[in-house]
Amino acid sequence: YWGPPGTFTNIASLKTFGGSAEHRPEDSIQDVFLAVEHGQADYGIVPVENSVAGIVPETLDMFPQTNLKICAETYIPINHHLMSIATDIKAIKRVYSGPQPAQQCKRWLRATLPNAEIVEVMPTARAAQRALDDPEGAAIANSLAAETVGIPILVEHIEDNPRNRTRFLVIGYNEPAKTGKDKTTLLFNLRNRPGELVRALSAFEKQGVDLMMIESRPAQRATFEYIFFCDCAGHRSDAHLQAALAEVGECTLEATVLGSYPSTDPLQV
């Protein structure tokens, strides 16, 4: 998982695999992918999107560079706390935070600490460690980070949206069995011609496939070309999804199914 201990990814790892598994922190999302690809771990777990701040680009960008598949997903409620060794919030001059937590607490920060410098530190547990060494600093992090680092929580629940949550992906090599409530993720790239994206997406509409997410990322092997990622409701073995994938394959340069896996999305019915 993306460490150090105390990150939201650590929480997702514990929720998914339980306390009896060996949970090993890695320094970056890229390192999580490489550890699994090189056989140093059975699975990896990485954040992919947040309900407030959107996609985590570092995760999507690693799929074209590896052969790993998506084996599962999990959702974690995101509760942010302000932690500091300072006893008075008026003493805070710096707030250590990653860009996503800062974005998710933007209104609270603007209202409560408008003059504080936001210092980018990723991930959340590392931000908590920085605040522990700074008497005029604070960090935005979760309760596990506070407990792990040993820093007091000054203000609880500073997230702007109480329904904020992050989706995490479990990456590996196995293909889960069909459950009846599944999600399929694929990536594809297109010829640089008018209407190509419309043609590809119309295949899903024609076959009655619910598209749950679409995101584009720059193709690293070519300038100003893009790779598209899609989440679809259903399993790749479903007849209507098979038909849609076949049509997508005909109108794209390359299409790859990253996995069909059990959906834990409460919005999918």
Side-chain angles (χ1 to χ4, degrees):
Y1 69 90
W2 183 22
T7 60
F8 282 108
T9 317
N10 188 187
I11 294 173
S13 180
L14 289 167
K15 177 185 176 183
T16 303
F17 295 103
S20 60
E22 179 186 351
H23 299 265
R24 194 178 80 188
E26 295 289 346
D27 289 336
S28 68
I29 289 173
Q30 180 184 29
D31 289 337
V32 174
F33 273 82
L34 295 179
V36 180
E37 186 173 49
H38 295 161
Q40 298 164 358
D42 297 310
Y43 296 99
I45 189 159
V46 289
V48 68
E49 63 177 324
N50 175 264
S51 59
V52 174
I55 287 294
V56 180
E58 294 86 355
T59 293
L60 294 187
D61 289 345
M62 285 304 299
F63 280 109
Q65 301 180 48
T66 68
N67 294 317
L68 297 179
K69 301 297 183 183
I70 301 171
C71 306
E73 67 175 2
T74 189
Y75 289 80
I76 297 294
I78 301 301
N79 298 315
H80 291 302
H81 311 303
L82 189 78
M83 48 201 67
S84 175
I85 58 174
T87 56
D88 189 341
I89 197 169
K90 295 178 181 178
I92 303 301
K93 295 182 178 179
R94 287 168 295 279
V95 177
Y96 299 100
S97 172
Q100 287 225 350
Q103 176 70 20
Q104 294 158 25
C105 303
K106 182 170 63 176
R107 289 198 299 272
W108 188 91
L109 289 169
R110 188 185 299 129
T112 312
L113 293 170
N115 299 317
E117 177 190 5
I118 307 301
V119 181
E120 184 173 318
V121 179
M122 297 171 62
T124 50
R126 195 164 286 124
Q129 184 64 57
R130 287 285 297 273
L132 184 65
D133 301 325
D134 183 353
E136 296 181 331
I140 299 174
N142 59 62
S143 55
L144 179 60
E147 179 183 342
T148 302
V149 171
I151 184 171
I153 293 177
L154 193 58
V155 185
E156 293 184 329
H157 295 289
I158 65 170
E159 64 272 7
D160 295 332
N161 186 343
R163 294 181 296 277
N164 185 15
R165 61 190 184 132
T166 293
R167 176 187 174 208
F168 293 84
L169 299 178
V170 176
I171 53 174
Y173 286 107
N174 75 311
E175 296 189 10
K178 181 177 176 178
T179 66
K181 185 185 177 185
D182 302 286
K183 187 181 290 185
T184 295
T185 301
L186 69 147
L187 64 83
F188 60 86
N189 58 354
L190 301 166
R191 300 172 184 84
N192 190 12
R193 298 190 309 208
E196 290 297 284
L197 180 57
V198 173
R199 286 184 61 209
L201 296 182
S202 66
F204 296 104
E205 180 185 15
K206 187 188 305 182
Q207 300 298 334
V209 175
D210 181 16
L211 271 183
M212 307 179 73
M213 182 273 285
I214 179 168
E215 187 76 21
S216 65
R217 293 294 303 153
Q220 298 177 12
R221 60 191 179 191
T223 305
F224 296 116
E225 291 188 6
Y226 292 86
I227 295 174
F228 294 89
F229 294 82
C230 291
D231 285 340
C232 315
H235 194 274
R236 64 188 300 176
S237 64
D238 294 339
H240 67 305
L241 187 48
Q242 280 187 336
L245 293 174
E247 287 191 41
V248 170
E250 291 174 1
C251 64
T252 59
L253 290 171
E254 183 180 9
T256 303
V257 174
L258 294 178
S260 290
Y261 46 93
S263 173
T264 59
D265 190 343
L267 299 179
Q268 184 178 350
V269 295

